[in-house]
Amino acid sequence: MTGLLTGAALQIVFSQARLFVMPSYHEGLPIALLEALSYSLPVIVSDIAPNKEIGLAQECYFQVKNIEVLTHALMTRSDLKPQDYSMFLNRYDWYKIATQTSDVYHLALGISCEK
């Protein structure tokens, strides 16, 4: 629909959205979902393993390929207020992940990681 969006255009779309829906059949790490969570958007996403790994409430998920369940979720979703996802997003903090990765390399090389 919009094509590829980045930067300010992407920020505008996320900041103006009321709901994020991702009916993916396949994902790796669902970066778009994490971005939606960072904007506190209510979400409805397919129940594929990478999405489920985020650990959201069950009502955020629908059975992949099940259009009726997705339709029902869209029609009945009433919590279209900003959500607090901080406990989920903390696991995906890029600075924290980079520091942990660096620590692993330092440990493997026998270099002290004292801060």
Side-chain angles (χ1 to χ4, degrees):
M1 299 219 267
T2 63
L4 177 64
L5 295 175
T6 60
L10 181 61
Q11 290 175 350
I12 289 169
V13 169
F14 273 123
S15 68
Q16 299 302 309
R18 291 199 50 201
L19 177 68
F20 178 82
V21 180
M22 190 166 73
S24 297
Y25 291 18
H26 304 284
E27 289 288 332
L29 176 62
I31 299 294
L33 173 56
L34 295 175
E35 286 179 312
L37 299 181
S38 76
Y39 280 86
S40 302
L41 291 173
V43 300
I44 300 173
V45 298
S46 56
D47 65 352
I48 60 174
N51 292 344
K52 294 282 284 194
E53 190 170 317
I54 302 294
L56 300 169
Q58 188 57 41
E59 61 268 13
C60 294
Y61 299 101
F62 72 95
Q63 183 182 22
V64 69
K65 301 182 184 180
N66 191 328
I67 295 170
E68 284 117 25
V69 173
L70 174 56
T71 301
H72 179 73
L74 288 167
M75 300 296 283
T76 60
R77 193 68 188 255
S78 61
D79 63 340
L80 297 180
K81 295 178 242 147
Q83 307 288 303
D84 179 10
Y85 297 115
S86 56
M87 64 186 228
F88 303 107
L89 291 171
N90 189 43
R91 290 180 49 204
Y92 299 97
D93 178 279
W94 291 116
Y95 179 78
K96 187 171 160 183
I97 292 168
T99 300
Q100 291 169 339
T101 301
S102 176
D103 290 349
V104 168
Y105 282 121
H106 283 107
L107 183 63
L109 295 170
I111 300 171
S112 175
C113 299
E114 292 186 35
K115 298 175 171 64

